Amino acid sequence: GEIDQIHVWKACRVKPFYTSHQGHPDDICPLTLTSATQELFGCRYDGDVTRDNPYKILRKEDILQDLRNRAAVSDFSPVKQLVLAYPEDELLLVYDRDFIYGSSFYLVLTVEGKDRHLMPIVAEVGEEALEREPSDVFAAQKTPEPRPWISLGSEQEIEEESVTDSRPRLKCRISRVRRAFGAPVFFSDRNAAETKDGFIECTPYQDKIFSLKQMERHCGVQAIPNCNSSSTQTPWTYPKNMCTQYEPREFSKEEKENCLQSEELKHFISLAVSRLEVAIQQNEIADVFFDDWKALSEDDGGYAGKADSHLKEYQSFTDLHFSQEKTISNISWHPTISGVIAVAMTERLSFEDRINASTKLLLNPSLILFWSFSDPINPQLLLECPDDVFSFEFCPSDPNIIVGSCMNGQVLIPSCALSLPPYFHLLLLNTRDNETSVVRYCAVSSIEHGHKAPVTDIQWLPETFEVSRMGVPMENKSGMCVQIVTCAPDCCLMFWDIRAPRVAFQNMADQRKQKVEEKPLENPDGVPNTFKHLNLTWKPLFRVCPRLVNIPAIHSPNWGLNGSQTPNLFSDNLFFLPQDGELVYTDWKLEKDDSGRLFSVKPSHRFTIHDGLVNTVRRSPFFKDIVLTVGGWTFAIWKEGVMNGPIIHSSCSQRKCTVGYWSQSRPAVFYIGKEDGNLEVWDLLEKTHEPSQTQNITTAPITCIKPWIISSKQHLLAVSDHLGTLHILEIPWTLRSPCSNEKLSVNKYFEKEVDRLVYFDKRREMRTKEKKNMDAEELRKKMVRQRSQISKWILIIICLVGTYSVVKYIPGKLYFFLTYLD
């Protein structure tokens, strides 16, 4: 007949099949579950599971879901592969109250072990025991027989630790004659040189018997708080009459005037003014409250040695199949899964070679590779793209959505994005050796409505605001990132929306007809239909075309709230990067002319600083108005709002600068990648004319740099090269731990550079004005010299003629000229 499950569980209070203090059976695995895991799975000890009822059935799907959510943090991560290999859908968890196997729980990993734990009493007493009361079933249980002792060497350790006599004890007997007891003692002087035994020379030497080195010591330490016993007692003195003042006493107006006008006050002020001025000047020069000892200790710990300041190779990733003859165009760390990084692979071909090999490129799809620290040989996941991806970004509000930009001008859904399926985490967890899952993109934009050139950069708009179809910023009430912005060398800036387009009002008949004619879309390769409404029909929300020539890229726009939580406070200015090395600062908002037509405004400022193509514009994570630009053979640091030029401009280096990135933990540190594979580390608090250190990472040009903070004690730096290799470097303590008041010191340094720039501009204007005045003065002096020479010649002519009256007969023009000189 049927077996009552409750009776079976109550009847199974038996000891495990095999108990040992040194090991455990092969079909179980001891586990230590935290309180959060016990609460999640309903296996709290002395609550859900007890000594009488120690068993808990867990669903295999629940354990896999916990592994997907918490990854390596999950308590079931050590038995992940064993759980995946379990054939049934339910596993047995046993509460080990006596810690027989060393932990509070153990998981049964085989079906036979599960049956052995649940049905030992049924097989022993038969089906009649199920019909009896639980007390009768417990009475039928047999007492297990003790097993013989098996020595594993523990008694030898006990004998070695015990103290035993290795030799017989020494006995010493001291005696003296009876008459010597109580005899008087007489002391006298004696010359030590007269007798042979007068003195004995004790020369020092090393005795090996007493030169023992203690290798191990057993000691105990007890830590207690500092205790201090004290007492106080008021000493008795003769009594006094005391009083306490609770309110201040003030002078009256007449007394104040008399005190201010008194000669004593004037004399005191005249004597104290000089000393007060000296004290104030000293306080301005040096901070009297500054802790020199604390600052000295920080400096000593920060710069302990050169070995602590170098980047160390933590791990490297390369694939001979997918990375062959390709370069890495962009890298991005996974925002939620620790130890996972994605890279975009592109072909190392010129424009002519790409056209000639177009047929071959169609057979080799473009990919985005996901690498994990757990497997540095095989990629964990492959994202297939229609063309080479130049840039991609994870969605800040949903890490399962990735945005990507293609070389053919298309944008991958959603809104230039790749969408990872809901089973993305499961794909990363279920990856077998030499088996890599391939996921196809969900949707792609239409070619005719996209960019006419390769999309070079892409950025998510924050979840706090969005842009309307007319280009007006407005508050985003959904709290999710739904819009992105792309740019390309076709002089266009496009805004995209990943939400389904709004459908105009239709009557009921049209809606029914549309539902009948609508056919379900095909779903190839198991790609989810999350963004099927955008596939091949996706159009930009609106586009901005600044009135410039050759604007191929936009980098690091200042989207967002600038530190404020008010959606109406945002910055609509951004940086364009022309191909000729210029840096253009403009407003992306559209304006209306007199007829109401929208048009793009002219750039507010244009700078020609770099001697080559600008490849990086990156805002500082600590100062929202500080921007780093890298291009050609130089780099520059700008302060937004200061349009006189860069506040810091480096000298030309011997090799081209290919990429740059700010440090995520130190405001004064940033990294510059070079064409020869060197990585320069710049510390503005240590040196400003040259890098603080230069380290060679690879032999090929560096293409991308991306730092990431794992924990407070581990910071990593991802560096990719032109050969398709990804290097993971560990940042040392000196480059990740900021000094005391480092942000304030760097801010003061930037302010001084701004003052220097303003001073030089004023000096330049003053010099220009002085030059103009000098030129005007020189011209005036030259005219005076010419006038004096002409006057001399006329006087000579008059003297030769003899009389001044002859001047009347001089022709009219000469007479007028003489009158002008006179």
Side-chain angles (χ1 to χ4, degrees), residues 393-686:
E393 290 290 338
F394 284 93
C395 180
S397 57
D398 188 0
N400 291 331
I401 301 177
I402 302 178
V403 297
S405 57
C406 293
M407 186 176 181
N408 58 0
Q410 286 182 306
V411 175
L412 300 176
I413 287 214
S415 94
C416 177
L418 284 168
S419 176
L420 296 181
Y423 53 89
F424 167 66
H425 295 81
L426 185 60
L427 288 175
L428 292 178
L429 295 175
N430 293 344
T431 302
R432 299 291 192 271
D433 295 337
N434 299 327
E435 294 182 4
T436 305
S437 302
V438 180
V439 179
R440 192 175 180 270
Y441 56 90
C442 292
V444 68
S445 64
S446 59
I447 297 180
E448 60 272 10
H449 295 97
H451 289 279
K452 307 304 179 184
V455 184
T456 55
D457 196 14
I458 184 171
Q459 295 285 337
W460 281 94
L461 268 69
E463 64 273 6
T464 54
F465 76 97
E466 58 180 325
V467 181
S468 65
R469 293 185 177 273
M470 303 302 294
V472 179
M474 54 192 303
E475 182 182 0
N476 184 9
K477 298 182 180 180
S478 63
M480 298 287 291
C481 296
V482 295
Q483 290 182 351
I484 59 174
V485 59
T486 61
C487 64
D490 58 353
C491 306
C492 287
L493 181 70
M494 296 187 180
F495 289 79
W496 306 75
D497 199 317
I498 65 174
R499 293 170 293 187
R502 297 180 181 179
V503 182
F505 177 76
Q506 297 178 353
N507 53 20
M508 296 299 294
D510 295 340
Q511 292 181 2
R512 292 174 183 175
K513 183 177 180 180
Q514 184 178 0
K515 290 182 179 180
V516 172
E517 295 178 354
E518 190 178 34
K519 296 181 180 180
L521 297 176
E522 297 181 357
N523 190 2
D525 302 329
V527 178
N529 293 327
T530 308
F531 300 100
K532 64 180 181 180
H533 57 277
L534 299 176
N535 193 17
L536 299 176
T537 60
W538 194 22
K539 300 179 182 179
L541 190 67
F542 79 98
R543 66 181 64 195
V544 179
C545 297
R547 289 181 282 179
L548 292 168
V549 180
N550 294 332
I551 305 291
I554 170 180
H555 288 269
S556 184
N558 189 14
W559 311 121
L561 307 177
N562 291 333
S564 175
Q565 296 299 326
T566 306
N568 295 329
L569 300 177
F570 61 91
S571 177
D572 51 6
N573 295 323
L574 46 82
F575 290 91
F576 282 98
L577 304 177
Q579 290 181 347
D580 53 358
E582 284 187 323
L583 185 68
V584 180
Y585 187 74
T586 185
D587 191 347
W588 58 269
K589 289 181 62 177
L590 301 178
E591 295 185 358
K592 294 183 179 180
D593 54 7
D594 298 337
S595 61
R597 185 178 179 182
L598 297 175
F599 68 96
S600 300
V601 298
K602 292 183 178 180
S604 58
H605 295 84
R606 300 177 67 173
F607 305 96
T608 305
I609 298 296
H610 299 282
D611 49 2
L613 177 64
V614 181
N615 50 63
T616 300
V617 172
R618 189 71 57 182
R619 289 185 180 271
S620 172
F622 300 94
F623 308 99
K624 297 302 180 182
D625 56 346
I626 299 298
V627 180
L628 170 67
T629 62
V630 180
W633 284 265
T634 61
F635 70 87
I637 297 179
W638 309 73
K639 184 177 179 64
E640 193 169 9
V642 179
M643 296 307 170
N644 300 332
I647 58 177
I648 299 176
H649 188 204
S650 68
S651 58
C652 292
S653 61
Q654 297 180 357
R655 298 291 182 179
K656 280 188 176 181
C657 303
T658 56
V659 68
Y661 214 101
W662 290 95
S663 173
Q664 301 298 304
S665 57
R666 289 195 56 187
V669 176
F670 57 91
Y671 308 95
I672 301 295
K674 289 301 190 70
E675 186 182 17
D676 55 354
N678 290 338
L679 182 67
E680 294 182 351
V681 181
W682 288 77
D683 191 349
L684 298 179
L685 295 183
E686 184 178 355

Side-chain angles (χ1 to χ4, degrees), residues 176 179-186:
R176 63 185 300 186
R179 63 176 177 269
F181 284 93
V185 179
F186 298 97

Side-chain angles (χ1 to χ4, degrees), residues 93-134:
L93 182 68
V94 183
Y95 172 49
D96 190 0
R97 183 181 178 86
D98 298 329
F99 289 83
I100 298 175
Y101 299 122
S103 298
S104 57
F105 293 89
Y106 62 87
L107 187 67
V108 181
L109 302 174
T110 60
V111 180
E112 294 77 6
K114 175 182 175 183
D115 298 335
R116 185 176 67 251
H117 279 75
L118 293 179
M119 301 299 294
I121 299 302
V122 175
E124 187 172 343
V125 300
E127 298 180 356
E128 297 180 357
L130 300 177
E131 300 177 357
R132 287 181 270 168
E133 294 295 330

Side-chain angles (χ1 to χ4, degrees), residues 644-645 756-766:
N644 300 332
R756 177 190 61 82
L757 191 63
V758 174
Y759 170 75
F760 272 100
D761 288 344
K762 291 182 179 179
R763 287 290 301 271
R764 188 181 297 108
E765 294 177 359
M766 184 178 64

Side-chain angles (χ1 to χ4, degrees), residues 242-498:
M242 304 296 294
C243 61
T244 304
Q245 180 180 353
Y246 288 91
E247 295 181 356
R249 292 181 299 177
E250 296 183 355
F251 290 124
S252 62
K253 294 183 178 180
E254 296 178 357
E255 292 176 346
K256 290 180 181 179
E257 292 179 357
N258 296 332
C259 182
L260 294 176
Q261 299 296 331
S262 63
E263 295 294 334
E264 296 180 356
L265 180 61
K266 295 179 180 179
H267 179 67
F268 168 75
I269 292 176
S270 60
L271 295 177
V273 164
S274 59
R275 290 181 293 172
L276 183 61
E277 289 180 353
V278 173
I280 293 175
Q281 291 176 0
Q282 291 178 351
N283 292 336
E284 289 292 334
I285 294 173
D287 186 7
V288 296
F289 301 102
F290 183 72
D291 191 354
D292 296 327
W293 179 259
K294 184 177 180 181
L296 180 63
S297 64
E298 289 184 358
D299 294 340
D300 292 342
Y303 301 97
K306 293 184 178 180
D308 299 334
S309 62
H310 281 73
L311 300 170
K312 298 180 181 179
E313 184 81 16
Y314 184 78
Q315 208 165 16
S316 62
F317 301 96
T318 184
D319 189 88
L320 299 178
H321 178 65
F322 302 108
S323 303
Q324 188 176 8
E325 300 297 332
K326 292 186 178 181
T327 183
I328 297 178
S329 59
N330 194 13
I331 58 179
S332 181
W333 293 87
H334 197 280
T336 58
I337 303 179
S338 179
V340 176
I341 186 171
V343 297
M345 311 300 300
T346 58
E347 296 287 343
R348 296 200 304 263
L349 298 175
S350 61
F351 183 74
E352 293 79 5
D353 296 339
R354 186 177 292 272
I355 294 176
N356 298 330
S358 58
T359 306
K360 181 181 178 181
L361 294 178
L362 293 176
L363 301 178
N364 297 327
S366 301
L367 299 173
I368 295 179
L369 279 63
F370 280 78
W371 293 98
S372 176
F373 288 171
S374 60
D375 188 1
I377 300 177
N378 302 313
Q380 303 296 306
L381 186 65
L382 301 178
L383 298 186
E384 184 178 346
C385 309
D387 204 348
D388 288 347
V389 175
F390 278 177
S391 178
F392 67 94
E393 290 290 338
F394 284 93
C395 180
S397 57
D398 188 0
N400 291 331
I401 301 177
I402 302 178
V403 297
S405 57
C406 293
M407 186 176 181
N408 58 0
Q410 286 182 306
V411 175
L412 300 176
I413 287 214
S415 94
C416 177
L418 284 168
S419 176
L420 296 181
Y423 53 89
F424 167 66
H425 295 81
L426 185 60
L427 288 175
L428 292 178
L429 295 175
N430 293 344
T431 302
R432 299 291 192 271
D433 295 337
N434 299 327
E435 294 182 4
T436 305
S437 302
V438 180
V439 179
R440 192 175 180 270
Y441 56 90
C442 292
V444 68
S445 64
S446 59
I447 297 180
E448 60 272 10
H449 295 97
H451 289 279
K452 307 304 179 184
V455 184
T456 55
D457 196 14
I458 184 171
Q459 295 285 337
W460 281 94
L461 268 69
E463 64 273 6
T464 54
F465 76 97
E466 58 180 325
V467 181
S468 65
R469 293 185 177 273
M470 303 302 294
V472 179
M474 54 192 303
E475 182 182 0
N476 184 9
K477 298 182 180 180
S478 63
M480 298 287 291
C481 296
V482 295
Q483 290 182 351
I484 59 174
V485 59
T486 61
C487 64
D490 58 353
C491 306
C492 287
L493 181 70
M494 296 187 180
F495 289 79
W496 306 75
D497 199 317
I498 65 174

